[in-house]
Every structure is written in C-alpha cells, then in structure tokens.
Amino acid sequence: AQTIHQWPVAEIKAVGSPLSLGCTIKGKSSPNLYWYWQATGGTLQQLFYSITVGQVESVVQLNLSASRPKDDQFILSTEKLLLSHSGFYLCAWRERDRSSYEQYFGPGTRLTVL
Amino acid sequence: GEQVEQRPPHLSVPEGDSAVIICTYTDSATAYFYWYKQEPGAGLQLLMSVFSNVDRKEEQGLTVLLNKKDKQLSLNLTAAHPGDSAVYFCASTSSGQKLVFGQGTILKVYL
C-alpha cells in the first residue's frame, strides 16, 4: 500500500527565515507529485507539480520554490519567509499513467510565520 | 481558466437527514470531478471521482450527480451522522495536472 509522509508536522518560523518542507511517497514508483497551499479556513491552491525527478512546474508564484531530488521525494522551500506564507501545506500524488487523474493527499504541514 | 463555485459555505443538518452540496464549474472541457473530505487539522480524503460521461454515481451512502448542461456537480450525503461532520471540497480537472478546488462547505451534523 502507498503511504505519503510529510515533515515536519508543524513549524513556527520568523519572517525572513528560510523554510524547507518535505514529502515522501512510499510504495509507488514514479508518481506525479503536487504541492498545495491552504489558507486557514480557505480552499486549496496548487503551487507546483512534478512528473519526474529533476522536473518541477510552477503553477502560481508565491515566492516559493520546489525540487524533486529523488523519485519519491518532493521538497518545498524558500530563503525568506513572508507573513503570507502561513497556512497548511499539502503534498499529493497520483499515478502517472492512470487515466482517472485521482490525487491522494498527505497529512499536511501547519506553518505559522510570525 | 477553470473556476469552481461551491455552495453553501456552511451546512447544518440533524442526524439522519440528507445534506446536499453543489458546485458549478465553468469549463465545458472539464473531464474529471472529485469530492474530498477534510477533517480538522488533517489532509484531504478522496470520497469519490466521476468522469464526465457519468450522470450519477452512488457509493456507501454518497450520491454524486453531474449535470453537464448546467455545469453542476452535486454531492448528497443520505442519512448523515455526526461522523460526517467535516469540510467538503469539490474539485475538477481537464488537464490532469491542475486540480481546481471549490471554496469548501463546512458540514455539521448534530444529534
């Protein structure tokens, strides 16, 4: 069975500090991977997606970057946090060749920027 | 690009009653539709996926209707119970990569 793990569970960071959030998928080879951001009480906004190692596409600019260093790993980062980066970050995966395009989500990371 | 409007934002029903959530989408080329459930502090749980050639799908007390003429997708929870209390999101995609979400509906089922 596939498992998706996100780390850390929660972070409290200062404005201007760097950030790195991680996502790992186990039990699935070569998945498509996605990062989403959710404001408190809000809807989800897709940030990035990746269909293979080393390739990342940006969907919306929020002064964040993403990388896929390994087949099962997706990293979200920034060198300087803004207050507006606070929220809930969710990683998702889907099978690359499956026609139904179903995306499955991880447990999320709660980020508070002070 | 695709936009999805979801209503109502809040819904409160007594246990045993039905709860209906509706989403209206804009892109006729939208191929896939989804309903997700989010409990407090958790990720999203996929409840049901529907392809655009399906008008109705039922699974485990949930009914999804797709009205392509009016570009509406609905979720009906029959006989809701307190464990159904959560935030529900509809989502859609035509490209397979970009998932567009509705604004969410906070459902409360009370005794």
Side-chain angles (χ1 to χ4, degrees):
Chain A
Q2 303 81 25
T3 59
I4 177 169
H5 175 59
Q6 288 188 243
W7 74 93
V9 172
E11 278 264 48
I12 299 175
K13 303 277 280 186
V15 170
S17 63
L19 173 77
S20 182
L21 304 181
C23 173
T24 298
I25 315 298
K26 294 299 182 187
K28 179 54 63 178
S29 176
S30 302
N32 287 6
L33 296 175
Y34 305 85
W35 276 113
Y36 289 84
W37 172 75
Q38 184 181 29
T40 301
T43 190
L44 284 85
Q45 169 70 62
Q46 190 177 81
L47 302 175
F48 299 94
Y49 68 89
S50 171
I51 62 173
T52 192
V53 174
Q55 285 190 12
V56 176
E57 299 295 330
S58 173
V59 177
V60 64
Q61 283 292 340
L62 284 181
N63 292 307
L64 295 167
S65 61
S67 64
R68 187 166 177 180
K70 301 180 191 176
D71 186 54
D72 64 352
Q73 197 173 81
F74 206 17
I75 306 296
L76 184 70
S77 61
T78 182
E79 293 185 1
K80 271 191 174 182
L81 278 166
L82 307 173
L83 284 174
S84 57
H85 285 139
S86 290
F88 198 45
Y89 288 84
L90 291 142
C91 180
W93 70 272
R94 77 164 176 88
E95 294 195 45
R96 179 177 298 173
D97 298 322
R98 187 176 174 132
S99 60
S100 66
Y101 302 149
E102 292 170 348
Q103 292 187 21
Y104 300 93
F105 285 78
T109 293
R110 172 74 56 192
L111 174 65
T112 303
V113 182
L114 303 174
Chain B
E2 171 77 299
Q3 293 181 8
V4 179
E5 295 293 325
Q6 183 173 342
R7 58 183 168 89
H10 295 88
L11 183 58
S12 187
V13 301
E15 184 178 21
D17 270 22
S18 292
V20 180
I21 304 169
I22 296 173
C23 286
T24 304
Y25 59 97
T26 58
D27 187 355
S28 302
T30 300
Y32 296 98
F33 303 87
Y34 311 92
W35 285 100
Y36 286 91
K37 176 183 180 181
Q38 186 179 33
E39 301 192 16
L44 274 70
Q45 174 193 351
L46 179 65
L47 295 175
M48 208 180 299
S49 59
V50 175
F51 186 47
S52 59
N53 65 353
V54 172
D55 296 330
R56 181 188 181 99
K57 187 173 181 180
E58 293 184 43
E59 280 181 7
Q60 298 179 330
L62 302 174
T63 301
V64 171
L65 299 177
L66 179 60
N67 181 333
K68 290 180 282 293
K69 174 176 166 290
D70 295 333
K71 295 181 188 167
Q72 278 195 347
L73 175 77
S74 68
L75 174 69
N76 187 338
L77 291 84
T78 54
H81 55 85
D84 291 328
S85 296
V87 182
Y88 290 80
F89 290 97
C90 62
S92 65
T93 184
S94 55
S95 69
Q97 297 301 351
K98 186 174 180 185
L99 212 54
V100 178
F101 283 83
Q103 294 80 5
T105 295
I106 300 173
L107 172 65
K108 181 174 180 180
V109 182
Y110 58 91
L111 297 172

